C-alpha cells in the first residue's frame, strides 16, 4: 500500500502541462500526537490553484517546488491521535493532492452526509459556497431587488452567486460559455438571463437585458467581460473581484479594465476579497447553504472526474478550458 | 458695456484649441424675480471641464454646442431681485464662463473675505477643498497613521489631500511633475516625501518610501501612476478615484490599470465619487478647512492667470500641461 501524491515539478509558463507535475508513490503517513490521517476520497480543483504555482507574493505563499500540491479534499479518517476526531469520521480540509493526508484539525470541517454527499462539501458546502455567500452578501452588499450580474456563472462559485441572489429577490444575469451552460442557468437554476459570451456580445446583451444598469457585478473572469460590465454600471454599483480566470494562464501582461472610470461616474466601488478572511464565519454560511440545499431552494452541482489521483493535472486543466459545469472535483478513491 | 462670454464652438478631439471656443459679446443679463446678477471676478479652471465637452453620458450633461461654457466663479452681486442677496454681496457659484452671470441662488455659497481672499473660495474653500475633504475622509476612510499617497499632488485637490492627511497624523507621499512642485510639497506643505514622476520611477520610489505598502491612494491622474500605486497596496487599502487627467485628452482608448487584481490579493477597495454628492455637507468641509486656513495649519495656494476672459481657452490648457501649482484660477475683471 502506497500513498500516491502530486508534487510540483516545475513552475508552468502559461497552461500547466505534463512537465508541471510529478506523480510519486510515498509512504502512507502516520498520525503523531494530536493528529489524524485522512484517506482522501475527493479532491477540489480550483482556478486559484493556478496562482499558487507562481513564485510571486500573494495571499498565500506559492507551492514550493518538489512539495505536494496544495489542495482541499474530503475523506475518511483512518488513524487518529486527536481527541476530537475518530477513525471513520468524514472531514474536509487542506490535506494536499495526495491519497492520504495528515492534519492536526486546523481549518478542518466535519462532513454530514445526511445533508449532502461528499463532493458537495468541496463545492456549495465548502469554500466555493462560502466565497459566493460572503462575496455577494458582505463584499457586494446585496440588496433585495438589485440587478446582479455574475461571470463564470456556470462555475462552482458563479452558479451559487446567482442562486443566492435569486433567493434575495434579485434579477440575475449570468455570463457563461456555450448554450448548454446557459440553458442550465436559466432552466435549472432560475437565472433570469444567461449571456453566452462565446456567441454574443456581452456588452450588447448587458445593455438590452439590464437597461437601467448593474447594481452588483460579481467577477470571476476578468478581461473583456469585466470591462463590458464596468461600462454598464448603475449609480452606487458594487463590483466584487473574486477571480480572473481569463488571465491566469496568460504569458504576456494582460490589459486592465479600461472602463474603470465608470466607478467615478457611477460612484461605484470595486472590491477584492479572499475567502480565507471569512474562516471565522465559515459555519454561518455553511449552515445557511445547507438549509437551502435541504429545502431544495438551492441546487448544488459537481462535475466529478472519476480518474484517480493520476488524472490531477489533466483534470485541473478542464477549468481553464471551461469544460466544467458546477464544481470540478476529482474522485481519488 | 457688454458681457463677454466663452461659448463651446466645437467639441474637441484631444486637447482643446482655438477652434473649441467662441468669444462673444452678449448683453449683460438682468435679474428676474428671485434672481440676482453677479459680476464675475475669478473663474475656476478645472480638469473636469474637459469631460464636460464630450458628448457622452456622465455625472453631468455635456455642455451644449453654442452655449456658454459651464464654469464656477466668484464675484459681486450687481443687481438683485432675490430677498436673501443684496447688491455688493460676494458669492461663489456656477455662473458660467462669462463676465456676468445670473442665478436664483441654487448651490451658491457666500464668500467671507475675512477668512480668505476671493480666489481661495474657488480652491481650498470651494469644490476642490470639499472634494479633498470628503474624498479622503469619507470615501478613503482615512485612519490616523495611514500611509497616504496622492497623485496630482501639487494640484488644487492633491495639495489639500496631502495636507489634510498630515493633519490626521498620516505619512504622506505626493506624486507631482518636476522639482519645483516637489520642493513645494515637502518644504512648504509638510509632505513627508515627494516623487517626481517626470524624473524617477514611481514604482521604485513607492517601494522604497512606503516599504509596508499604501493604505490610501488618492488618484487624480490615472494611467501608469495609478497602476504603480495599485501594485504597492497594503492589506485593506482604499483607492479613491477622483480623476484621471493623464487620459482626458487622449485620442485613443487608454489602457486600464493592469494591476487591478492587487485589490483581490490585498482585500482592497477602489471607489469613485463625485463631489456633487456631498452638496448637503459642503458647509461642514468649508467650515473645517476655513479654521485650518485661519490657524495657519493649511496652506491654500492659487495660481492666478491675470488674463481676462479672453484667456479662458489658453489658461484651461495649462492644467493639461501640468503648468499650475495649486488651484488654477482666471482673473476675469
Amino acid at each position: 500500500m502506497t500513498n500516491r501524491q502530486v508534487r510540483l515539478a516545475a513552475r508552468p509558463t502559461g497552461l500547466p502541462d505534463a512537465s508541471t507535475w510529478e506523480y510519486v508513490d510515498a509512504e502512507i503517513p502516520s498520525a503523531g500526537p494530536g493528529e489524524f490521517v485522512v484517506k482522501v476520497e475527493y479532491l477540489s480543483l480550483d482556478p486559484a490553484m493556478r496562482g499558487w504555482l507562481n513564485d510571486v507574493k500573494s495571499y498565500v505563499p506559492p507551492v514550493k517546488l518538489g512539495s505536494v500540491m496544495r489542495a482541499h479534499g474530503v475523506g475518511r479518517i483512518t488513524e487518529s491521535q486527536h481527541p476530537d476526531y475518530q477513525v471513520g469520521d468524514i472531514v474536509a480540509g487542506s490535506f494536499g493532492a495526495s491519497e492520504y493526508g495528515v492534519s492536526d484539525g486546523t481549518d478542518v470541517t466535519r462532513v454530514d452526509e445526511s445533508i449532502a454527499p461528499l463532493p458537495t462539501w468541496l463545492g456549495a458546502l465548502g469554500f466555493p459556497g462560502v466565497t459566493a455567500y460572503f462575496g455577494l452578501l458582505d463584499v457586494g452588499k446585496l440588496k433585495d431587488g438589485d440587478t446582479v450580474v455574475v461571470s463564470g456563472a456556470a462555475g462552482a462559485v458563479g452558479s451559487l452567486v446567482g442562486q443566492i441572489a435569486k433567493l434575495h429577490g434579485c434579477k440575475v444575469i449570468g455570463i457563461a460559455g456555450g448554450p448548454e451552460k446557459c440553458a442550465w442557468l436559466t432552466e435549472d437554476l432560475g437565472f433570469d438571463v444567461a449571456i453566452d459570451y462565446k456567441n454574443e456580445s456581452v456588452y450588447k446583451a448587458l445593455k438590452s437585458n439590464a437597461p437601467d444598469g448593474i447594481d452588483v457585478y460579481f467577477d470571476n473572469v476578468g478581461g473583456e467581460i469585466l470591462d463590458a460590465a464596468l461600462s454598464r454600471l448603475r449609480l452606487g454599483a458594487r463590483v466584487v473581484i473574486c477571480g480572473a480566470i481569463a488571465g491566469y494562464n496568460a504569458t504576456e501582461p494582460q490589459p486592465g479594465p479600461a472602463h474603470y472610470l465608470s466607478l467615478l461616474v457611477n460612484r461605484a466601488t470595486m472590491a477584492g476579497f479572499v475567502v480565507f478572511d471569512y474562516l471565522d464565519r465559515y459555519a454561518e454560511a455553511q449552515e445557511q447553504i445547507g438549509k437551502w440545499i435541504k429545502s431544495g431552494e438551492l441546487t448544488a452541482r459537481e462535475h466529478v472526474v472519476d480518474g484517480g489521483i493520476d488524472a490531477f493535472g489533466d483534470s485541473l486543466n478542464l477549468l481553464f478550458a471551461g469544460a466544467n459545469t458546477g464544481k470540478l472535483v476529482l474522485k481519488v478513491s
Side-chain angles (χ1 to χ4, degrees), chain A:
Chain A
M1 280 199 0
T2 61
N3 174 27
R4 198 149 174 91
Q5 300 183 323
V6 185
R7 296 186 187 170
L8 180 60
R11 300 200 182 281
T13 302
L15 197 66
D17 61 20
S19 71
T20 306
W21 311 109
E22 185 184 18
Y23 296 86
V24 177
D25 290 315
E27 281 196 20
I28 297 174
S30 54
E35 294 182 339
F36 54 82
V37 174
V38 180
K39 184 170 195 289
V40 173
E41 299 195 17
Y42 296 91
L43 275 179
S44 179
L45 298 168
D46 300 286
M49 285 173 158
R50 181 62 187 84
W52 304 342
L53 306 182
N54 297 331
D55 193 15
V56 294
K57 202 184 151 198
S58 188
Y59 62 96
V60 287
V63 176
K64 286 186 187 150
L65 280 176
S67 70
V68 175
M69 176 62 188
R70 181 186 297 135
H72 257 71
V74 61
R76 272 166 232 267
I77 293 177
T78 54
E79 183 198 348
S80 180
Q81 291 205 43
H82 192 297
D84 301 333
Y85 292 92
Q86 315 306 324
V87 171
D89 285 358
I90 312 178
V91 288
S94 187
F95 309 127
S98 183
E99 289 180 312
Y100 290 85
V102 65
S103 169
D104 64 3
T106 303
D107 297 337
V108 163
T109 307
R110 290 182 180 279
V111 167
D112 179 351
E113 278 187 295
S114 77
I115 296 174
L118 270 54
T120 304
W121 292 83
L122 297 177
L125 292 168
F127 275 114
V130 178
T131 300
Y133 188 87
F134 289 115
L136 183 64
L137 302 181
D138 203 70
V139 184
K141 298 180 174 64
L142 190 76
K143 293 194 298 283
D144 284 10
D146 276 347
T147 293
V148 176
V149 176
V150 56
S151 62
V157 172
S159 59
L160 300 170
V161 165
Q163 292 183 80
I164 295 171
K166 283 307 299 175
L167 286 164
H168 285 79
C170 296
K171 173 171 180 175
V172 174
I173 300 173
I175 305 170
E180 291 79 10
K181 287 181 180 178
C182 286
W184 181 57
L185 297 179
T186 53
E187 291 169 20
D188 295 350
L189 301 191
F191 283 43
D192 297 286
V193 178
I195 298 173
D196 177 359
Y197 75 88
K198 291 185 176 173
N199 294 296
E200 59 186 314
S201 155
V202 172
Y203 175 81
K204 286 183 191 166
L206 287 174
K207 192 170 180 178
S208 61
N209 288 293
D212 298 327
I214 302 167
D215 295 301
V216 176
Y217 174 59
F218 193 108
D219 190 38
N220 293 304
V221 304
E224 291 174 12
I225 291 177
L226 168 59
D227 216 26
L230 281 173
S231 66
R232 294 297 308 159
L233 297 183
R234 199 176 194 171
L235 214 63
R238 287 85 69 202
V239 177
V240 180
I241 302 296
C242 179
I245 196 169
Y248 286 170
N249 291 294
T251 51
E252 291 178 13
Q254 294 294 288
H259 288 99
Y260 82 98
L261 280 178
S262 174
L263 297 175
L264 188 156
V265 174
N266 294 296
R267 293 77 154 170
T269 299
M270 186 153 93
F273 78 110
V274 174
V275 67
F276 299 156
D277 296 339
Y278 290 93
L279 281 178
D280 59 339
R281 296 175 66 191
Y282 196 100
E284 173 190 340
Q286 213 174 30
E287 191 185 327
Q288 178 60 69
I289 293 169
K291 283 181 190 166
W292 283 328
I293 289 175
K294 280 206 127 179
S295 68
E297 290 172 282
L298 187 141
T299 298
R301 172 167 169 174
E302 299 86 32
H303 178 132
V304 179
V305 180
D306 189 3
I309 193 127
D310 285 334
F312 180 85
D314 288 344
S315 302
L316 179 65
N317 282 7
L318 293 175
L319 289 169
F320 306 116
N324 60 301
T325 299
K327 173 70 187 114
L328 187 65
V329 168
L330 177 64
K331 189 168 194 292
V332 174
S333 63

